[in-house]
Amino acid sequence: MSIFVIKKMKRNFSISGMPDFSPFEKRRREYILSKVKEQFLLFGFSSIQTASMTKSTSSYGEAADKLIFNILKSGNYFTKLKENYNNRETGSSDLLNLKDIDFTSLISDKSLRYDLTIPFAKYVAEHQSEITFPFKRYEIGSVWRADRPQKGRLREFTQCDADIIGDSSLWLEVDLLDLMNSIFRSLGLNDLLIKINNRKILEGIWIEGKGSSVGSFSSFCIIIDKIDKIGIERVGELLLDAGYQEDFIQMMQELFLFEGSFLDKKEYLLGKINQDNQILLKGLDELSFVIGKSSSVNNLIFDLSLARGLDYYTGAIFEVVSYGSANSLAGGGRYDNLTEKYDLRGVSGVGVSFGLDRLYLEMDELNLFDDKINNNLDVLFINFGEKESIVSQSYISELRSCGKSAELYPSNLKISKQMSYADKRGAKFVVIIGEEEINLELLTVKNMNTGKQDRLSMLEFIKLLNHEE
Amino acid sequence: MSIFVIKKMKRNFSISGMPDFSPFEKRRREYILSKVKEQFLLFGFSSIQTASMTKSTSSYGEAADKLIFNILKSGNYFTKLKENYNNRETGSSDLLNLKDIDFTSLISDKSLRYDLTIPFAKYVAEHQSEITFPFKRYEIGSVWRADRPQKGRLREFTQCDADIIGDSSLWLEVDLLDLMNSIFRSLGLNDLLIKINNRKILEGIWIEGKGSSVGSFSSFCIIIDKIDKIGIERVGELLLDAGYQEDFIQMMQELFLFEGSFLDKKEYLLGKINQDNQILLKGLDELSFVIGKSSSVNNLIFDLSLARGLDYYTGAIFEVVSYGSANSLAGGGRYDNLTEKYDLRGVSGVGVSFGLDRLYLEMDELNLFDDKINNNLDVLFINFGEKESIVSQSYISELRSCGKSAELYPSNLKISKQMSYADKRGAKFVVIIGEEEINLELLTVKNMNTGKQDRLSMLEFIKLLNHEE
């Protein structure tokens, strides 16, 4: 091999972080989705489909809002905007003094959904009169984030969400933990850790540290949430910057480092914290119930440092992490006020979200995809010309109506070229219909796996195909 | 009933033309998709998934380009834009003199896909070295058009496309007609008309009428394409405005009105047109082959007035129309240069596109959805409290692992409320586990269809459920 190979530049017309998926990848993705969907249905969830766009509103907190893709208004939006400004006293040059965010609100009123949770809240509020509560819905769909693309982090990706809204029973948390385990088991993903915590416990701890001028509980969670990325020391520094006392920070770090069972941790925590801290006690009670009733105790771990970034969680929070890759594959939690911004109050819900693209990466790394997933054509008919093709086409119709995928090679090319196509397509059988076969009303059938070739009647061939399954 | 009912205003948080779909609608949509997908696979197509966004480029012609949803650049795009303009001599007020289209190109470089065909062309060009040609792909996905919403015309809708690229054999047209028929048959849609024409025939006719200063062939097709909406008279006027001679227009109108079989029409056409018109003869030859080989002759009609608006068609074009509603349910055709703009030349393809939302409307109007589609929960367990729920939860796990959907009502509410939930969910069975059932290790099972109630062991219940299917 020469090292002076001139590499042909591959033209790339795609947008980074927004991949296309080949038939090979798509079949694997559909395999995963079929497993996920099967469990969603067994657990009693029904699917909805929400629109990809929503009216522009701030929903996720400042950090997430920056990642929203905004849609430009249609038509002569810019001309109209200038006209509006010209009608005002200050004149249109004012436009040029606007900040990005204010300018955006003038030329865009819609955005792509950032997740499936807020669209779900919108759906529930809008359809509350038709919905039977508790409402168990799942949704599988694309979401978009204007993030910096990297491995395992795309700008368009697929989420699989299951939520129950309209009931605050902790049995729902128990069932969701079961659901997660069932899905991972059905995919062959066994080396997983389910981390669980409760926002009420974190809030109880935060109350302990609340001195004169520390940040909000929400900003406290955002700091804690960074622990996996930046480490416990750096989190301590951030808390110090935010105004928390050193002894409080030290206590927190001790709590995070303490190892043991749920009961050990609970006892340790109660030894450090004011016994009248009602919200903390409530959080511990809830967690006791969920952990006590869960059948997935062997891989469930109470992780006090689990905070999750999103604003809306109010109770249990959980996250599933792969032992091997340390990738986060799923996460979720309890929220009490999600539909509030759509004028529907007092509705509690709990949900979990699986990342299809993460699951794919994980399964690919662990070699969990069966080769069978790639078989996608039962029979290819060789094209010998018009007369033979007419006969072939009628056999093909018959095979399809028996549930076998079949096609005619479209052109009368060299047989070696047609066979190579059959091979690359992963066809199970190749059928040859020539003059003789037409006269005898038989098919010459080649098994592409064994190389064996036979003359069969159509009836015999269909039997053979059925036997193959 | 009082007529003075104060109607509670339904708050609407959605964007018009971009609907959400309820579990009821979603199950019906998935039913349609499963049928479509089944036939795609039987015909040998493999699925790909393309990104929802593409780099902004003009692809569809002026009329369609107006309907593209553009995505705003992220970050401080406006600040950066002003800085760029400030660096230039003319100053930033120049910005305000820009036309909408030019301003858009500065603040947006991505757009949502308008159809699945152009992303397919991009995919093929980008992956040409890995693809086995002829490449048979299907894709099912959302597309977006900034259109004025009306019945049957949404701004976000789902297309189901099947294309074969890399072969110019007319057998592919024959097979696609078969595919369309198979899909419609499997959905129970029988009263359909498949209109077929060939762009080469239209081009041959256009050449006849080409006088001094008439428009392009493309603009000719756009005028002809309007015939269903505005009628033959008005199309004549538009052609006159475009510079075509009156006798040519009269001949066209006669051609459009002439009724008869393909052979009758062919003869009539050849009597009117210059016998040396090679492109017209080529078009007629192609059409003869396709119609001659097609097994769907009984609902296939040669319609000279079928033009289809999109620029890229070069051969056969077809459209499926419902007799009853006159709705267009599918359409497609042959294109020879689709991948050219992505630097891949000389690749011919042919494809068909089904509109899921149109199919849904049509099937709904004709009452073709089976009620069975709505059954979605096998068993609901009544919640009598913690102790009973623990036992129920383990039965539920067992049922799910036998492939039965089951759930526990999350809270210990009045039994009537729980029964009403079971009813609304369409549960087939309700199971009651009380003190007695726990002691006897039995389940009290109520068949929600018959109202019959029995005490069964778990084994007997599973047998019953399997028998029910």
Side-chain angles (χ1 to χ4, degrees):
Chain A
M1 290 250 294
S2 157
I3 53 163
F4 296 101
V5 177
I6 295 164
K7 253 198 168 167
K8 198 182 156 193
M9 274 295 285
K10 189 181 163 186
R11 285 284 304 268
N12 197 329
F13 303 99
S14 294
I15 299 166
S16 118
M18 301 197 178
D20 296 330
F21 298 102
S22 69
F24 176 81
E25 293 162 322
K26 185 69 178 158
R27 276 189 287 272
R28 290 173 155 206
R29 288 168 69 86
E30 286 184 353
Y31 169 79
I32 298 176
L33 290 180
S34 71
K35 295 290 182 186
V36 171
K37 197 179 152 180
E38 183 185 18
Q39 295 299 326
F40 282 170
L41 291 172
L42 288 175
F43 276 73
F45 291 87
S46 303
S47 77
I48 66 167
Q49 179 180 330
T50 59
S52 299
M53 290 185 211
T54 54
K55 289 180 182 169
S56 295
T57 47
S58 174
S59 299
Y60 302 94
E62 205 186 324
D65 285 344
K66 276 188 192 150
L67 302 182
I68 301 268
F69 278 114
N70 293 303
I71 314 281
L72 205 53
K73 287 183 183 173
S74 305
N76 300 323
Y77 69 97
F78 189 51
T79 304
K80 283 182 198 155
L81 178 64
K82 285 182 289 184
E83 281 168 11
N84 278 344
Y85 262 73
N86 279 331
N87 293 339
R88 295 166 21 150
E89 274 181 24
T90 42
S92 65
S93 63
D94 245 19
L95 260 182
L96 294 172
N97 296 323
L98 289 175
K99 285 185 189 161
D100 289 79
I101 188 170
D102 299 320
F103 187 70
T104 299
S105 70
L106 293 174
I107 59 170
S108 163
D109 53 6
K110 294 180 284 295
S111 51
L112 287 171
R113 62 187 181 201
Y114 172 91
D115 66 9
L116 301 175
T117 311
I118 296 295
F120 172 53
K122 185 205 73 172
Y123 179 88
V124 170
E126 221 170 79
H127 296 266
Q128 51 186 289
S129 60
E130 310 135 37
I131 289 174
T132 307
F133 291 99
F135 180 44
K136 301 177 79 168
R137 88 82 176 82
Y138 77 87
E139 178 163 14
I140 296 173
S142 295
V143 301
W144 293 268
R145 297 184 188 174
D147 218 335
R148 198 181 302 272
Q150 56 188 65
K151 195 183 172 189
R153 191 192 290 171
L154 299 170
R155 298 203 282 174
E156 172 171 32
F157 56 98
T158 301
Q159 288 193 327
C160 314
D161 278 26
D163 288 78
I164 310 109
I165 199 162
D167 201 302
S168 57
S169 163
L170 294 168
W171 278 108
L172 297 174
E173 275 85 340
V174 174
D175 213 32
L176 277 188
L177 291 175
D178 242 17
L179 173 66
M180 293 199 286
N181 270 313
S182 298
I183 286 177
F184 289 120
R185 211 183 306 121
S186 77
L187 291 171
L189 288 166
N190 298 313
D191 284 340
L192 299 172
L193 197 65
I194 304 185
K195 297 179 184 177
I196 189 165
N197 197 3
N198 192 302
R199 274 274 172 102
K200 296 191 178 77
I201 297 176
L202 285 175
E203 197 175 343
I205 294 172
W206 170 71
I207 286 169
E208 296 290 312
K210 233 168 82 171
S212 45
S213 61
V214 301
S216 64
F217 174 51
S218 162
S219 64
F220 177 74
C221 287
I222 289 171
I223 296 175
I224 305 295
D225 189 47
K226 296 185 173 150
I227 206 162
D228 280 343
K229 278 186 208 145
I230 64 176
I232 197 164
E233 287 301 324
R234 186 83 190 93
V235 161
E237 288 165 30
L238 290 179
L239 288 172
L240 200 63
D241 293 348
Y244 294 89
Q245 302 289 318
E246 288 204 39
D247 53 348
F248 171 75
I249 296 172
Q250 205 192 324
M251 180 204 70
M252 284 222 53
Q253 289 174 331
E254 284 169 21
L255 283 175
F256 289 168
L257 291 170
F258 183 81
E259 294 192 13
S261 69
F262 171 64
L263 289 176
D264 296 340
K265 283 181 185 165
K266 183 175 166 183
E267 202 178 324
Y268 186 78
L269 188 56
L270 289 175
K272 299 260 176 187
I273 301 250
N274 184 348
Q275 299 292 318
D276 283 342
N277 191 321
Q278 290 306 316
I279 183 121
L280 182 105
L281 294 174
K282 181 90 165 49
L284 283 170
D285 271 357
E286 290 183 6
L287 206 50
S288 296
F289 184 93
V290 174
I291 292 179
K293 300 292 180 296
S294 176
S295 61
S296 53
V297 137
N298 54 332
N299 62 345
L300 188 64
I301 179 171
F302 172 33
D303 182 348
L304 254 175
S305 73
L306 177 70
R308 294 188 66 76
L310 290 169
D311 263 5
Y312 46 67
Y313 293 118
T314 51
I317 44 180
F318 33 80
E319 187 167 313
V320 183
V321 178
S322 156
Y323 269 117
S325 63
N327 281 331
S328 165
L329 303 177
R334 165 72 67 177
Y335 42 83
D336 285 332
N337 306 307
L338 195 64
T339 57
E340 207 169 29
K341 64 173 299 200
Y342 298 108
D343 299 346
L344 177 62
R345 274 159 243 280
V347 183
S348 183
V350 58
V352 60
S353 177
F354 298 80
L356 171 62
D357 305 84
R358 296 282 183 87
L359 289 174
Y360 187 104
L361 274 181
E362 185 73 11
M363 290 186 61
D364 196 26
E365 270 169 30
L366 296 174
N367 259 315
L368 292 176
F369 290 110
D370 196 317
D371 281 345
K372 270 192 199 156
I373 298 173
N374 291 313
N375 274 343
N376 69 322
L377 183 63
D378 293 323
V379 191
L380 180 87
F381 280 68
I382 299 291
N383 188 326
F384 280 114
E386 189 165 332
K387 193 176 144 202
E388 292 82 358
S389 294
I390 291 173
V391 177
S392 296
Q393 194 69 18
S394 76
Y395 283 130
I396 288 170
S397 289
E398 208 175 326
L399 285 171
R400 287 170 179 165
S401 61
C402 297
K404 307 300 167 195
S405 60
E407 65 182 59
L408 171 71
Y409 192 87
S411 296
N412 177 9
L413 301 185
K414 274 195 307 192
I415 191 162
S416 61
K417 192 145 190 217
Q418 297 189 44
M419 290 302 287
S420 141
Y421 172 83
D423 195 45
K424 283 183 186 148
R425 281 291 304 276
K428 290 184 197 155
F429 292 93
V430 164
V431 168
I432 294 162
I433 307 270
E435 186 95 32
E436 219 178 306
E437 282 85 357
I438 295 181
N439 292 334
L440 296 170
E441 294 189 14
L442 291 175
L443 300 79
T444 296
V445 172
K446 181 172 179 165
N447 183 321
M448 294 295 281
N449 255 333
T450 63
K452 206 173 150 241
Q453 198 161 306
D454 278 311
R455 272 220 175 137
L456 303 174
S457 71
M458 187 63 178
L459 209 66
E460 289 167 329
F461 183 39
I462 289 176
K463 268 189 199 158
L464 177 66
L465 281 165
N466 285 330
H467 188 72
E468 276 289 307
E469 306 249 299
Chain B
M1 289 249 297
S2 159
I3 54 161
F4 297 100
V5 177
I6 295 163
K7 252 199 170 168
K8 197 180 158 195
M9 273 295 285
K10 191 181 164 185
R11 285 285 304 268
N12 197 331
F13 303 98
S14 294
I15 299 167
S16 116
M18 300 197 179
D20 295 331
F21 299 101
S22 70
F24 177 81
E25 293 162 320
K26 186 69 177 159
R27 276 190 287 270
R28 290 173 156 207
R29 287 168 70 85
E30 286 184 352
Y31 169 78
I32 298 176
L33 289 180
S34 72
K35 295 291 183 184
V36 171
K37 197 178 151 181
E38 183 185 20
Q39 294 299 328
F40 283 171
L41 292 171
L42 288 174
F43 276 72
F45 291 87
S46 303
S47 76
I48 67 168
Q49 179 180 329
T50 59
S52 299
M53 287 185 213
T54 55
K55 290 181 182 168
S56 296
T57 49
S58 174
S59 299
Y60 301 94
E62 205 186 324
D65 286 344
K66 278 188 192 150
L67 303 182
I68 301 266
F69 278 115
N70 294 303
I71 314 281
L72 206 52
K73 287 181 182 174
S74 305
N76 300 323
Y77 69 98
F78 190 51
T79 304
K80 282 181 199 157
L81 178 64
K82 284 182 290 185
E83 280 167 12
N84 277 344
Y85 262 73
N86 279 331
N87 292 340
R88 295 167 20 151
E89 274 181 24
T90 42
S92 65
S93 62
D94 245 19
L95 260 183
L96 294 172
N97 296 323
L98 288 175
K99 286 185 188 159
D100 288 80
I101 189 170
D102 299 319
F103 187 71
T104 299
S105 71
L106 293 173
I107 59 170
S108 163
D109 53 6
K110 293 181 284 294
S111 51
L112 287 171
R113 62 186 180 202
Y114 172 91
D115 67 9
L116 301 174
T117 311
I118 297 294
F120 172 53
K122 185 205 73 173
Y123 179 88
V124 169
E126 221 170 80
H127 295 266
Q128 51 186 288
S129 60
E130 310 136 37
I131 288 175
T132 307
F133 291 98
F135 181 43
K136 301 178 77 169
R137 88 84 177 79
Y138 78 88
E139 178 163 14
I140 295 172
S142 295
V143 301
W144 294 267
R145 297 185 186 173
D147 219 335
R148 198 181 302 272
Q150 56 188 65
K151 193 182 175 191
R153 192 193 287 170
L154 300 169
R155 297 203 284 174
E156 172 171 33
F157 56 98
T158 301
Q159 288 193 327
C160 314
D161 278 25
D163 289 79
I164 310 111
I165 200 164
D167 202 302
S168 56
S169 163
L170 294 168
W171 278 108
L172 297 173
E173 275 84 339
V174 174
D175 213 31
L176 278 187
L177 291 175
D178 242 16
L179 173 65
M180 292 199 286
N181 269 313
S182 298
I183 286 177
F184 289 120
R185 210 183 306 122
S186 78
L187 291 170
L189 288 166
N190 296 313
D191 284 340
L192 298 172
L193 196 64
I194 305 185
K195 296 179 186 176
I196 189 165
N197 197 2
N198 192 302
R199 274 274 173 103
K200 294 189 180 78
I201 297 175
L202 285 175
E203 197 175 343
I205 294 173
W206 170 71
I207 286 170
E208 296 289 313
K210 231 167 85 172
S212 45
S213 61
V214 301
S216 66
F217 175 51
S218 162
S219 63
F220 177 72
C221 287
I222 289 171
I223 295 175
I224 304 295
D225 190 47
K226 294 184 175 153
I227 206 162
D228 280 344
K229 278 186 206 143
I230 63 175
I232 196 163
E233 287 301 323
R234 187 84 189 93
V235 161
E237 289 165 28
L238 290 178
L239 288 173
L240 200 64
D241 293 348
Y244 294 89
Q245 301 290 317
E246 286 205 35
D247 53 348
F248 171 75
I249 296 172
Q250 204 191 324
M251 179 203 69
M252 285 221 51
Q253 289 174 331
E254 282 168 22
L255 283 175
F256 289 170
L257 291 171
F258 183 81
E259 293 194 11
S261 69
F262 171 62
L263 289 176
D264 296 339
K265 282 182 185 166
K266 183 175 165 184
E267 203 179 323
Y268 186 79
L269 188 55
L270 290 174
K272 298 259 176 190
I273 301 249
N274 183 348
Q275 298 292 316
D276 282 343
N277 191 322
Q278 290 305 316
I279 183 124
L280 180 105
L281 293 174
K282 181 89 164 46
L284 282 170
D285 271 359
E286 290 184 7
L287 206 51
S288 295
F289 184 93
V290 173
I291 291 179
K293 300 293 180 295
S294 175
S295 62
S296 53
V297 139
N298 54 330
N299 61 343
L300 189 61
I301 179 171
F302 172 32
D303 183 347
L304 256 176
S305 73
L306 177 70
R308 292 187 67 75
L310 290 169
D311 263 5
Y312 46 66
Y313 293 118
T314 51
I317 44 180
F318 33 81
E319 189 167 312
V320 183
V321 178
S322 157
Y323 270 117
S325 64
N327 280 331
S328 166
L329 303 176
R334 164 73 66 175
Y335 41 82
D336 284 333
N337 307 306
L338 195 64
T339 56
E340 207 169 28
K341 65 173 299 201
Y342 298 108
D343 299 347
L344 177 62
R345 273 160 245 280
V347 183
S348 182
V350 58
V352 60
S353 178
F354 297 81
L356 171 62
D357 305 83
R358 296 280 184 88
L359 289 174
Y360 187 103
L361 274 181
E362 185 72 13
M363 290 185 62
D364 197 25
E365 271 169 31
L366 296 174
N367 259 315
L368 292 176
F369 290 110
D370 195 318
D371 281 346
K372 270 191 196 156
I373 299 173
N374 291 315
N375 275 343
N376 70 322
L377 183 63
D378 293 324
V379 192
L380 180 88
F381 280 69
I382 299 291
N383 188 325
F384 280 114
E386 188 165 334
K387 192 176 147 206
E388 293 81 359
S389 294
I390 292 172
V391 177
S392 296
Q393 194 69 18
S394 76
Y395 283 131
I396 287 170
S397 289
E398 210 176 325
L399 285 172
R400 287 169 179 166
S401 61
C402 297
K404 307 299 167 195
S405 59
E407 65 181 60
L408 171 71
Y409 192 87
S411 297
N412 177 8
L413 301 185
K414 275 195 305 193
I415 190 162
S416 61
K417 193 147 188 214
Q418 298 189 44
M419 289 302 286
S420 142
Y421 172 82
D423 196 44
K424 283 184 187 149
R425 280 292 304 275
K428 291 184 198 157
F429 293 93
V430 164
V431 168
I432 294 161
I433 308 270
E435 187 96 32
E436 219 178 307
E437 282 85 356
I438 296 180
N439 293 335
L440 296 169
E441 294 189 13
L442 291 175
L443 299 80
T444 296
V445 172
K446 180 171 179 165
N447 182 322
M448 293 294 279
N449 254 332
T450 64
K452 205 173 151 243
Q453 197 160 306
D454 278 312
R455 272 218 176 141
L456 304 173
S457 72
M458 187 62 177
L459 209 66
E460 288 167 329
F461 184 40
I462 289 175
K463 268 190 201 158
L464 176 66
L465 282 165
N466 285 331
H467 187 71
E468 275 289 307
E469 306 249 301

